[in-house]
Amino acid sequence: MSIRADTRRNPSILSERDPSALAIVHAARTVMARGFQNALMKAFGATEHVMTVLSVEDLAPAFRRIRFHAPTMIDGRETPTASFIRLWAPDPNGSDKVHQRGYTLVDPDPESGEVSFDFVLHQPAGPAASWAMAARSGDTITASYISYTKFDPPEPEPDGYLLIGDPSAIPAINGILEVLGREARIVLLLQEVSEGDRAIPVAAHPNASVEWVTQSTPEAIAGAIPHRDWSNWHAWLAGEAKMVKEVRACLNKQHGFPLADIQHRAYWVRGKAMRLRKDHGAEEAEPAVEARITEQAVQAAEPSMPELAPAVGRWRSQRGLELLTPLRWKLRAAGVLQGLISLTRLAPFVLLAEIGRKLLSGETGWSAYQPLVIATLALYGAAALFSSMLLLWLHVVDADFGRDLRRTVIEKLGRLPLGWYTERNAASVRQSVQEDAGRLHYMVTHAVPDAVAGAVTPVAVIVYLFTVDAGLAAMLFLPIIAFIFLFSHMMRGNGDNLARVADWTKKANAAAGAFVDALAVVRVFGGNGRDLRAALDGQAKFLNAWQRPMAGRKVLSQLAIQPPTFLLLIVAGGMWRISAGGMTPADILPFIFLGTAFGAQIMAVAYGLIPLREGRLAAKRIGVLLEEKELDRRSSHADLPAGPLTVRFRDVSFGYRPGKPVLKGISLELKPGTMTALIGPSGAGKSTLAALPGRFHDVTEGAITLSAGGAEIDIRDLSPQVLNKRIGFVFQDACFIRASVRDNIALSRPGASDTEIENAARSANIHDRIARLPRGYDSVIGEDAHLSGGEAQRLSIARVLLANPPILVLDEATAFSDPESEHLVQQAVAALTRDRTVLVVAHRLHTITRADTIVVMKDGSVVQSGRHESLVAVPGLYRDLWHAGEEVAA
């Protein structure tokens, strides 16, 4: 963004002028002052806007916030977190120069068109600070706006955030701190440039540690980065240009940050003012003498930063690059071969042009044409053959790569803990195996040849045509220049809309998914899908408002590079060159054969690069999946002796993320043949605790053990087969595979006989329902077997009964049962829990009054424990929950 204002105002004149007219005069003078730079910015889509100062507020001794009215710049658009723009301040010495500086949008209000900028008022003051010091309400300033840049929280969520900046970056850092979750780990390094910088308000965050670096050199803040393992952290930095460059290099080389995990932007240049002269409009960078001397003195006094071995762990994003490593030499080879094939494809057209020249010169003998015709056919056939062979080879490479990749993903899925398989993670698996694998297929088989052909072909064509006639060849660039001009004019002021397309698509997809998921509820209760309608209407209005005014310009820009345009140019230019004696009529043939598709060939480069980018992103997402933490089964080989089993939780703590425990120091003992119930408010950690004995996750601290025959063994040391046979689970959500009822019950014991399967179904009160299915036990679930919630629950109980585990975990087994089915489920549960050690998660307290032990949980800790009679007799959480349940029942 550019900014310019005339500070040499005459108050008497200003009082006589219309404010709007004065703003136009300021805008015109600004445009003239910027010269070439302004024209260049406009070519990239910059638009002019006038901002009016509304208020000035000092937030700290050297930190000033100025509120502007900028209705045309804000214009109802959404401004993302830490949106960054460039301003141009007037020269404080009164010349017609403007000075560049970066600023963060603070509290933008799309409805009122207001926005604030924070200015750091250091001494000696720079041009922007000098303007801010003198700013008063009613002042106007002209801005050139291109598009907002923003802070994008990466996906998946990193282990932490490292935020680095000088005082000018604090507004952006405050915006980032406000949007990051309360549980995010944050390390904040701030550079103290002048006294009083520490008084600048920094947003509070419960998990942010703040450190100020007193020396104001790039080396100082780079050296202040703690030397530790930053793996899977995300870095964001902004400030002075040299500092940003130095710190970015340090993060990458000494701390191991992949460049993709570093967001950076330069707000200003130390010791330099980027100035524009009004007389010739050329940009120059003049060093400010005082700042230059100070910086050189500090650099001379400081020793160079020592080279340290990086304390590097492993970033998830690295795995995606490693996936593509075996392909790199093959893709490079494919690129080289495609370059040769592209040249071979062009050769027949060159020969055809030569044949045409001979025809025009009057050659009639076959002997004159025979070598050219044979060579043309041979080269054409060779290009087609080699192109087919290259495509075939790349498909073979892709088939091998895709097979190995899918095997790797499947093997990885088998090593992940069962607790990882949430609905969100299941969606990421589908995307990796289906969509991302498809993007990698196109990248491997087609993207590289397309991109290389798009680059080699137009270069070879233009080089050859310059040898034929340089004048006409140079004219072929005119439509390209026209396309660039028309396209930039079309995109002027639309930089944000490119990002908003993705945002609206994401909103529409999310609304459609939510509508489909809730379709049954919507139909029952008569909903009209207003959220989906609103999202689709909003998307349609946005696209219509954006694309409709651009339709004419889009058509013109596309026409500029179409073959008929080049043909018309070649014919007109060729006739002019022929009439002027610059070329012969025969020389126009190569241009007709090769030059008409010149523009389309150049555009093919961009179309070929897009799949390459999408392929790299797909590989990154698959790599993130492959870097998910696995269960450590290196010591999981032990067996259990025979005898009754006791389960012990020994000071168990667990958290899904490092440093964020969900369970804290829990100790329990489940004796053989007893029932232990877990109760508590939602979010207390009951289901998480109940899943741990089956190693759905491994504990963070402490241990879970099984005792039998005098031996006590950590479940992490037991083989998966032994653990699965000893502990059975019945969850709220009953899951089945698309197979027969018999096969679904027999999943727990694949070798079970039909009689054993039927006996298990009878004990679970589901046999009669199965008998009424079209094919009985051979009925396929999802095709001719559609079960209610209670029926599905009883079928899952039959599966556990067939496995006959000595330890059973029930997670509210009757949650989805209707009143009639609940009685049958309760009977099935009673049969299931008989003579077993049971751990049950309950929300209906009347179902666990006869439990041997009731464990009351709150915020991941055990707050009460005992039998129903003793717990309800004393004040506490259990009695409160019991009385609340009675009131609801009443």
Side-chain angles (χ1 to χ4, degrees):
M1 181 156 188
S2 312
I3 198 164
R4 176 75 170 91
D6 189 354
T7 55
R8 300 170 296 165
R9 296 167 297 184
N10 186 327
S12 62
I13 296 177
L14 290 177
S15 62
E16 298 173 1
R17 292 181 179 175
D18 178 69
S20 60
L22 180 60
I24 295 174
V25 171
H26 284 171
R29 296 189 61 177
T30 301
V31 172
M32 294 175 61
R34 294 200 197 98
F36 174 75
Q37 178 78 359
N38 185 64
L40 185 63
M41 292 181 67
K42 281 193 170 184
F44 284 96
T47 52
E48 298 290 338
H49 304 274
V50 175
M51 303 193 305
T52 304
V53 176
L54 296 177
S55 62
V56 178
E57 179 185 7
D58 290 326
L59 303 181
F63 197 71
R64 171 166 290 187
R65 175 167 295 176
I66 300 180
R67 189 74 174 169
F68 293 92
H69 185 233
T72 59
M73 188 183 73
I74 301 299
D75 195 22
R77 71 184 86 217
E78 297 179 7
T79 51
T81 301
S83 298
F84 163 77
I85 56 176
R86 291 204 171 275
L87 307 178
W88 294 83
D91 186 68
N93 298 322
S95 69
D96 290 318
K97 299 176 183 177
V98 287
H99 303 255
Q100 184 181 195
R101 194 69 156 77
Y103 288 95
T104 300
L105 280 78
V106 179
D107 298 330
D109 186 349
E111 295 185 2
S112 64
E114 297 179 5
V115 64
S116 297
F117 297 108
D118 290 339
F119 295 82
V120 182
L121 309 180
H122 289 154
Q123 293 294 340
S130 298
W131 180 88
M133 289 177 182
R136 297 292 183 269
S137 179
D139 288 358
T140 57
I141 197 164
T142 304
S144 295
Y145 163 76
I146 298 179
S147 64
Y148 299 127
T149 59
K150 60 181 180 178
F151 167 77
D152 287 312
E155 293 183 2
E157 186 177 0
D159 291 347
Y161 295 87
L162 174 61
L163 309 180
I164 304 174
D166 59 17
S168 64
I170 290 179
I173 290 174
N174 287 339
I176 294 172
L177 291 174
E178 290 175 0
V179 300
L180 293 181
R182 301 294 90 184
E183 296 183 353
R185 293 190 295 170
I186 302 170
V187 173
L188 179 56
L189 291 180
L190 294 176
Q191 192 174 36
E192 185 178 8
V193 178
S194 299
E195 292 185 13
D197 284 348
R198 300 195 185 203
I200 298 174
V202 178
H205 191 284
N207 288 318
S209 62
V210 183
E211 179 182 346
W212 286 87
V213 182
T214 55
Q215 293 175 315
S216 61
T217 62
E219 294 80 6
I221 195 164
I225 301 173
H227 198 69
R228 47 161 286 186
D229 182 4
W230 292 103
S231 54
N232 292 319
W233 279 57
H234 181 78
W236 184 96
L237 62 142
E240 191 270 327
K242 187 176 180 182
M243 181 272 283
V244 170
K245 181 179 179 181
E246 186 91 15
V247 173
R248 181 172 180 263
C250 178
L251 288 171
N252 176 242
K253 295 178 181 178
Q254 295 198 17
H255 298 278
F257 276 84
L259 294 179
D261 290 290
I262 304 174
Q263 281 186 261
H264 62 94
R265 58 203 55 172
Y267 280 171
W268 56 290
V269 179
R270 185 187 300 273
K272 293 184 179 181
M274 298 181 71
R275 304 177 178 182
L276 300 175
R277 295 185 182 277
K278 180 179 179 180
D279 50 0
H280 55 73
E283 182 179 349
E284 59 183 27
E286 299 179 2
V289 178
E290 298 83 1
R292 183 176 71 249
I293 294 175
T294 302
E295 183 180 358
Q296 290 175 347
V298 173
Q299 290 179 353
E302 286 188 353
S304 60
M305 190 169 54
E307 291 290 335
L308 299 173
V312 179
R314 180 175 177 82
W315 266 261
R316 287 184 290 260
S317 56
Q318 290 175 314
R319 185 61 182 274
L321 297 176
E322 293 172 0
L323 284 177
L324 301 178
T325 299
L327 295 175
R328 284 177 182 164
W329 75 266
K330 298 176 183 178
L331 294 181
R332 292 191 184 106
V336 173
L337 293 174
Q338 181 60 53
L340 297 175
I341 292 171
S342 298
L343 295 176
T344 306
R345 280 179 172 172
L346 289 176
F349 292 97
V350 176
L351 295 177
L352 286 174
E354 293 301 318
I355 292 174
R357 290 187 182 193
K358 287 183 176 294
L359 287 172
L360 290 177
S361 65
E363 290 278 355
T364 58
W366 168 246
S367 58
Y369 297 102
Q370 182 178 4
L372 294 175
V373 172
I374 293 175
T376 299
L377 294 175
L379 288 171
Y380 182 81
L385 176 62
F386 291 138
S387 179
S388 300
M389 292 176 63
L390 175 61
L391 195 60
L392 177 61
W393 177 62
L394 287 176
H395 275 83
V396 171
V397 169
D398 174 68
D400 292 339
F401 173 73
R403 178 200 60 208
D404 295 340
L405 178 62
R406 286 179 171 85
R407 283 180 177 175
T408 302
V409 171
I410 291 171
E411 291 172 359
K412 176 69 177 185
L413 296 177
R415 296 191 298 267
L416 291 173
L418 291 176
W420 180 86
Y421 289 92
T422 62
E423 183 176 345
R424 176 180 177 183
N425 288 334
S428 70
V429 171
R430 287 194 297 270
Q431 182 179 36
S432 297
V433 176
Q434 298 176 6
E435 298 176 17
D436 289 340
R439 291 187 178 96
L440 288 175
H441 162 76
Y442 189 85
M443 184 191 77
V444 174
T445 56
H446 300 287
V448 171
D450 290 350
V452 171
V456 170
T457 302
V459 171
V461 166
I462 200 66
V463 168
Y464 169 67
L465 293 181
F466 262 97
T467 64
V468 177
D469 186 80
L472 186 55
M475 293 183 188
L476 295 180
F477 288 101
L478 295 177
I480 304 297
I481 296 173
F483 170 78
I484 294 173
F485 173 79
L486 292 170
F487 186 80
S488 64
H489 180 68
M490 177 183 71
M491 296 304 298
R492 185 169 299 167
N494 285 288
D496 295 321
N497 289 330
L498 296 175
R500 293 176 68 189
V501 169
D503 292 339
W504 272 112
T505 301
K506 192 177 297 183
K507 289 178 182 178
N509 290 340
F515 178 78
V516 172
D517 291 340
L519 188 58
V521 177
V522 170
R523 295 187 65 179
V524 169
F525 292 97
N528 58 3
R530 58 179 177 272
D531 292 339
L532 176 59
R533 293 176 183 272
L536 294 177
D537 289 345
Q539 183 185 37
K541 289 179 181 178
F542 161 70
L543 292 174
N544 184 63
W546 178 33
Q547 292 292 321
R548 186 180 292 274
M550 296 169 58
R553 289 173 285 176
K554 184 182 292 185
V555 171
L556 287 176
S557 65
Q558 291 299 319
L559 283 176
I561 56 173
Q562 294 302 309
T565 303
F566 281 88
L567 179 61
L568 180 62
L569 176 66
I570 290 170
V571 171
M575 292 176 63
W576 172 70
R577 292 284 296 158
I578 292 170
S579 62
M583 60 186 293
T584 66
D587 291 338
I588 202 172
L589 291 177
F591 288 90
I592 294 176
F593 284 134
L594 297 172
T596 53
F598 182 63
Q601 292 164 346
I602 290 180
M603 294 306 297
V605 180
Y607 294 132
L609 293 177
I610 292 174
L612 286 174
R613 179 178 177 273
E614 292 180 345
R616 286 194 295 268
L617 293 176
K620 180 180 178 181
R621 286 190 292 268
I622 295 176
V624 169
L625 170 62
L626 295 177
E627 285 296 301
E628 291 290 346
K629 187 176 180 180
E630 303 174 4
L631 285 178
D632 186 358
R633 289 176 173 165
R634 288 172 294 181
S635 62
S636 303
H637 308 294
D639 199 351
L640 275 170
L645 292 176
T646 299
V647 184
R648 290 189 178 92
F649 294 77
R650 296 187 180 276
D651 199 22
V652 167
S653 296
F654 171 75
Y656 294 99
R657 296 182 58 194
K660 300 298 176 185
V662 176
L663 303 174
K664 309 161 192 173
I666 293 179
S667 296
L668 294 175
E669 183 174 340
L670 282 60
K671 295 181 179 179
T674 63
M675 175 183 287
T676 302
L678 301 177
I679 69 121
S682 178
K686 305 182 296 296
S687 295
T688 300
L689 180 64
L692 292 181
R695 290 197 74 183
F696 280 53
H697 296 284
D698 274 342
V699 299
T700 307
E701 297 178 8
I704 301 174
T705 64
L706 295 182
S707 301
E712 185 173 9
I713 303 175
D714 193 314
I715 62 172
R716 289 171 289 192
D717 295 331
L718 293 173
S719 69
Q721 295 78 9
V722 171
L723 187 62
N724 292 339
K725 288 181 180 179
R726 297 302 193 278
I727 303 178
F729 288 86
V730 178
F731 298 106
Q732 296 181 19
D733 298 317
C735 297
F736 304 101
I737 61 174
R738 198 174 187 85
S740 68
V741 173
R742 175 182 289 101
D743 291 339
N744 271 278
I745 297 176
L747 280 175
S748 57
R749 269 181 60 196
S753 65
D754 291 348
T755 302
E756 290 173 322
I757 293 173
E758 184 176 330
N759 288 337
R762 289 182 185 276
S763 298
N765 288 330
I766 193 64
H767 170 75
D768 293 340
R769 176 69 178 95
I770 296 174
R772 293 195 299 270
L773 292 173
R775 290 186 284 166
Y777 282 86
D778 292 325
S779 300
V780 177
I781 293 180
E783 293 182 6
D784 42 15
H786 300 280
L787 306 177
S788 67
E791 292 168 347
Q793 200 67 271
R794 281 179 277 154
L795 191 64
S796 66
I797 290 173
R799 179 191 297 163
V800 178
L801 282 168
L802 183 64
N804 195 27
I807 300 170
L808 182 65
V809 177
L810 301 174
D811 190 352
E812 193 55 55
T814 63
F816 298 137
S817 302
D818 53 85
E820 180 181 355
S821 182
E822 182 177 0
H823 174 67
L824 297 175
V825 173
Q826 289 285 8
Q827 288 182 332
V829 169
L832 181 62
T833 57
R834 191 177 300 120
D835 301 325
R836 288 185 173 86
T837 303
V838 180
L839 178 64
V840 58
V841 177
H843 298 90
R844 305 177 186 181
L845 300 190
H846 70 275
T847 63
I848 48 91
T849 56
R850 295 183 181 181
D852 297 285
T853 304
I854 298 174
V855 177
V856 186
M857 298 182 63
K858 182 180 180 181
D859 297 331
S861 300
V862 175
V863 295
Q864 286 180 286
S865 179
R867 294 183 67 88
H868 168 74
E869 294 78 9
S870 60
L871 291 174
V872 81
V874 297
L877 180 57
Y878 182 82
R879 189 163 76 173
D880 295 341
L881 294 173
W882 178 262
H883 290 327
E886 288 182 330
E887 292 176 3
V888 171

